[in-house]
Amino acid sequence: MAKTSTTTQGLRAAIERSGYYPALVAEAVEAAIGGDTIRSYLVHQETTFDANEVRRHVTVLVLTGNRFIVSHTDEQNADTTSPTPYATTSTESVKLGRISSVVVSRVVANPESYTPGTLPREVVLTIGWGAVSRIDLEPAACGDPNCEADHGYTGNSTADDLSLRVSEAGDGPETVRQALAFAQSLSEATADITR
């Protein structure tokens, strides 16, 4: 990465541990970070099954002093557009002031005997900054069951730019800890921007 620090070295090691095209992923992330200092990071590798194919995907999240950086890398099999397998890497840099929500959902076993500090078995981190919104519409109705008038539509708009799920069983306890630490750092950084 651009700067040599413990955090930068930790990010590089996490990318290499993922084992998912580390040179390609690291280069894309380094280019997006530029000269910024890394405050926190999360590397998450996910394997999915698509029909008879196994596909891998890695997401790297980086928090700097004034930006939130998201990097996605996907692999593709040979197809009509390419005679050889290939990978696609994208990065997005978001100013911290644009982040509108950081949602952390925790799943804990045996909540009646939960002890503070116990690691959740699953964490879902959802971050919204307005790039992607989902609108769910349905016909509006009134309370009269015999009414046939058109009342228009009603619905909800939800910011859903990034949702990342990590679990102790699938990703290991260290990745769950890292997800919680990253979420806390991002929440604190966005709170500092609004003060």
Side-chain angles (χ1 to χ4, degrees):
M1 298 287 137
K3 295 187 176 187
T4 56
S5 71
T6 304
T7 306
T8 301
Q9 292 168 353
L11 173 58
R12 170 66 86 156
I15 290 171
E16 289 175 4
R17 261 193 318 276
S18 79
Y20 186 76
Y21 308 121
L24 173 65
V25 173
E27 182 180 52
V29 171
E30 179 180 326
I33 293 169
D36 288 1
T37 300
I38 299 168
R39 292 173 58 179
S40 187
Y41 63 88
L42 175 62
V43 177
H44 181 253
Q45 196 245 332
E46 180 179 16
T47 302
T48 58
F49 302 93
D50 182 20
N52 295 330
E53 297 177 350
V54 176
R55 294 185 188 260
R56 295 182 301 163
H57 174 90
V58 69
T59 301
V60 179
L61 308 179
V62 178
L63 174 63
T64 72
N66 59 359
R67 294 183 300 145
F68 166 63
I69 297 165
V70 183
S71 174
H72 295 287
T73 303
D74 292 290
E75 65 182 354
Q76 307 293 327
N77 291 324
D79 57 23
T80 58
T81 64
S82 176
T84 60
Y86 60 99
T88 304
T89 300
S90 64
T91 57
E92 182 174 3
S93 178
V94 180
K95 289 183 180 184
L96 288 179
R98 289 202 46 219
I99 295 179
S100 56
S101 66
V102 178
V103 180
V104 180
S105 300
R106 303 166 190 241
V107 177
V108 298
N110 303 313
E112 68 281 352
S113 60
Y114 176 77
T115 304
T118 302
L119 199 61
R121 70 178 188 198
E122 182 178 310
V123 171
V124 178
L125 174 60
T126 305
I127 304 165
W129 59 91
V132 177
S133 293
R134 184 182 63 228
I135 298 176
D136 296 318
L137 295 175
E138 61 184 41
C142 67
D144 181 358
N146 297 319
C147 181
E148 295 181 14
D150 182 356
H151 295 285
Y153 289 88
T154 186
N156 296 312
S157 175
T158 308
D160 196 14
D161 296 305
L162 175 75
S163 190
L164 190 74
R165 177 186 169 269
V166 297
S167 70
E168 188 175 26
D171 303 298
E174 187 53 39
T175 303
V176 173
R177 276 189 202 86
Q178 188 70 34
L180 290 170
F182 182 83
Q184 182 173 349
S185 294
L186 184 60
S187 291
E188 291 170 356
T190 57
D192 288 344
I193 295 294
T194 59
R195 288 185 191 156

